[in-house]
Amino acid sequence: MLTLNYHDMRRIATPAEWEQEIQRRAPLAGLLKNGEPRHADNLGWLDPDECAGEKQLAQIETLAGTIRKEADVFVVVGIGGSNNAARAAISALQRPGEPEIVYMGNTLSPHALVKALERLEGKSVYIDCIAKNFETLEPGASFRVLRKWLKLRYGEDADRRIVVTGTKGSPLDELAQRHGWHFVAFPETVGGRYSGLTAVGLLPMAVAGLDIRAMVAGARETRKWLLAAEPEENLALRYACLRNLLYRKGYRVEMLSAFEPQFQGFFRWWRQLFAESEGKDSKGIFPVAAENSEDLHSIGQYVQDGEPIIFETFLDAQTPNALLSPEPDGVLDGFDYLNGKDFWAVNKIAFMATREAHSRKLPCITLGIEALNERTFGALFYFYPCVCYLSGTILGINPFDQPGVEAYKGYMFEALGK
Ligand code: PA5
């Protein structure tokens, strides 16, 4: 379902060096089975069956079914790991005619919040406030605004329209019991950015009409082939080793690129996963993303000719997702070289040409993806956390905490009088 290839005309990292690194790190492949005991509190995502087994999927589908019967709009209130996976999958895969998904709790901008509320007017609204421990300011503030909005519209019926996702025993759980809100468990052993394939990500996806069983099946399948592979053939280990090898050679930035706007939300999810997991102890590969071909006309210049600190990973979905031809219309516009080609082919040629040019200057990786659908998104949502876990372990940091995020909060809470 996924393939990994390396293109590096300048031989910045030779195939032999890469293989040596993999040999050296081979024992790490075993971590993908059960992980290390010291991280046991954060490894609930490692086996998709733990948080997305039959029982959990059935519960999610039942609740989503109830919401879908009545909701025109479903508001996902959350920030960072609490909304990024759902947002990535829904923005890429939602089909027409499904409930509209609105995101709040990810900003304090009054302009954005007012705009979001405007989208709710005249619609039947349900909300899901997702917050692991319910201490984060942004979702807490938006939840207040939304509760008031719901009470004004629905009176006593408002509480029935509120779902909250938090850890058992958290303040959100207690509030849910007191007010009769529907409570969904945020698994205690899964951190936000690793929670895409738990109820945190799967409930909004199911409300949006996505096939969450196919999503989880993609993850399961990926786990199966990662565990079955010899360490040298294990794509998560190969990728993690290559990233670290390039990092040690001064390539401090990984740029994830795609020629498909369907990956826009995925970029945000991926950036958070790697920045929050690896950027610590004054180390870490800085993750950025490029939406091509548009970004070729902006940061493309830096990538090709700027400081050599970037390596690039192209996401390459293999099968056509739509066909459209730029038909000639008799106007002598100078674009007749497009005759007989469809946009799929033109876009692919732009990608191949970019990789050809970039790989003459910087190390390039291609992650081939069989198709763009729930199954492959499930595979990506599982594969990248595995890469991140192994890569962070090679880097020598704890991929599951985020102490740096606390720094600004101290000043902010003081200024707000918390
Ligand atoms: O990955 C993480 O743990 C974080 O990005 C969290 O998801 C984010 O800070 C939101 O946290 P919470 O769900 O507690 O509001």
Side-chain angles (χ1 to χ4, degrees):
M1 193 163 11
L2 303 177
T3 55
L4 188 78
N5 287 296
Y6 186 51
H7 325 263
D8 171 7
M9 308 278 218
R10 289 177 52 209
R11 297 174 66 80
I12 292 158
T14 64
E17 280 176 300
W18 187 17
E19 295 310 322
Q20 258 169 26
E21 177 77 8
I22 295 165
Q23 291 296 335
R24 194 153 71 95
R25 307 291 184 183
L28 292 184
L31 290 187
L32 297 182
K33 191 157 171 47
N34 296 316
E36 278 179 285
R38 66 183 169 128
H39 292 313
D41 288 351
N42 290 288
L43 290 169
W45 57 273
L46 198 52
D47 182 354
D49 282 334
E50 206 173 299
C51 297
E54 180 51 43
K55 188 171 150 222
Q56 291 99 331
L57 286 178
Q59 279 169 351
I60 294 167
E61 282 169 341
T62 305
L63 178 56
T66 310
I67 296 169
R68 280 168 60 78
K69 266 189 210 133
E70 280 191 47
D72 303 315
V73 176
F74 186 61
V75 187
V76 175
V77 184
I79 194 163
S82 288
N83 80 355
N84 275 339
R87 213 169 159 191
I90 293 166
S91 62
L93 302 175
Q94 194 180 27
R95 296 157 191 96
E98 301 290 351
E100 185 186 353
I101 311 297
V102 169
Y103 301 93
M104 289 178 72
N106 53 351
T107 178
L108 296 169
S109 151
H111 173 79
L113 292 170
V114 168
K115 286 272 163 214
L117 289 177
E118 280 171 9
R119 290 171 64 189
L120 312 185
E121 283 309 336
K123 312 263 178 66
S124 170
V125 176
Y126 275 71
I127 74 167
D128 181 7
C129 177
I130 310 172
K132 191 165 183 186
N133 297 313
F134 199 45
E135 286 165 357
T136 311
L137 171 63
E138 292 85 350
S142 279
F143 189 25
R144 270 195 170 194
V145 171
L146 275 166
R147 286 199 306 272
K148 179 151 185 228
W149 191 95
L150 288 169
K151 270 274 175 316
L152 281 172
R153 297 301 180 286
Y154 301 113
E156 287 309 301
D157 195 37
D159 290 331
R160 192 177 61 81
R161 293 171 174 267
I162 299 177
V163 177
V164 293
T165 303
T167 41
K168 285 204 179 107
S170 69
L172 206 47
D173 185 3
E174 285 165 31
L175 288 173
Q177 289 180 36
R178 192 169 320 146
H179 297 282
W181 305 331
H182 196 103
F183 179 76
V184 172
F186 193 132
E188 278 168 62
T189 56
V190 183
R193 57 190 178 275
Y194 293 86
S195 69
L197 297 170
T198 73
V200 173
L202 294 174
L203 177 64
M205 292 182 209
V207 173
L210 267 52
D211 182 349
I212 58 168
R213 283 181 187 266
M215 181 95 48
V216 174
R220 256 194 228 121
E221 222 178 294
T222 306
R223 174 165 173 81
K224 207 168 152 197
W225 60 252
L226 284 177
L227 291 186
E230 292 299 325
E232 306 74 40
E233 302 301 324
N234 185 310
L235 288 201
L237 182 67
R238 292 184 72 78
Y239 194 177
C241 286
L242 185 54
R243 297 178 87 244
N244 277 276
L245 183 60
L246 295 170
Y247 176 68
R248 292 200 298 272
K249 286 176 180 276
Y251 290 83
R252 300 297 165 113
V253 178
E254 179 175 12
M255 187 168 83
L256 193 66
S257 307
F259 284 71
E260 178 48 71
Q262 277 177 286
F263 282 119
Q264 227 168 55
F266 185 81
F267 286 153
R268 187 185 281 273
W269 172 84
W270 174 87
R271 246 177 23 210
Q272 187 210 353
L273 176 66
F274 280 91
E276 234 180 3
S277 299
E278 289 196 320
K280 49 197 67 153
D281 303 341
S282 305
K283 296 191 269 194
I285 298 168
F286 186 71
V288 296
E291 274 176 48
N292 292 333
S293 55
E294 188 165 3
D295 283 340
L296 292 174
H297 299 263
S298 59
I299 52 177
Q301 171 61 36
Y302 189 103
V303 175
Q304 189 77 47
D305 283 341
E307 199 178 347
I309 51 169
I310 302 171
F311 68 94
E312 184 166 19
T313 298
F314 292 98
L315 296 180
D316 177 27
Q318 311 287 354
T319 49
N321 48 5
L323 288 175
L324 178 69
S325 294
E327 300 284 356
D329 61 358
V331 174
L332 297 175
D333 59 2
F335 288 96
D336 273 355
Y337 60 86
L338 294 175
N339 292 351
K341 301 186 178 79
D342 61 52
F343 273 106
W344 174 260
V346 175
N347 197 30
K348 199 76 172 176
I349 290 168
F351 157 55
M352 308 281 259
T354 304
R355 191 175 62 188
E356 176 76 24
H358 288 187
S359 63
R360 288 171 191 274
K361 191 69 194 285
L362 52 133
C364 293
I365 299 166
T366 302
L367 186 71
I369 305 158
E370 194 182 279
L372 267 181
N373 53 36
E374 278 92 337
R375 181 169 153 266
T376 53
F377 261 78
L380 291 170
F381 284 144
Y382 186 74
F383 177 70
Y384 265 117
C386 290
V387 176
C388 189
Y389 178 25
L390 298 181
S391 181
T393 304
I394 295 171
L395 194 62
I397 49 82
N398 175 357
F400 301 112
D401 64 359
Q402 55 281 330
V405 177
E406 300 308 314
Y408 86 94
K409 287 186 188 169
Y411 298 112
M412 179 178 71
F413 288 142
E414 196 185 329
L416 287 171
K418 184 181 175 187

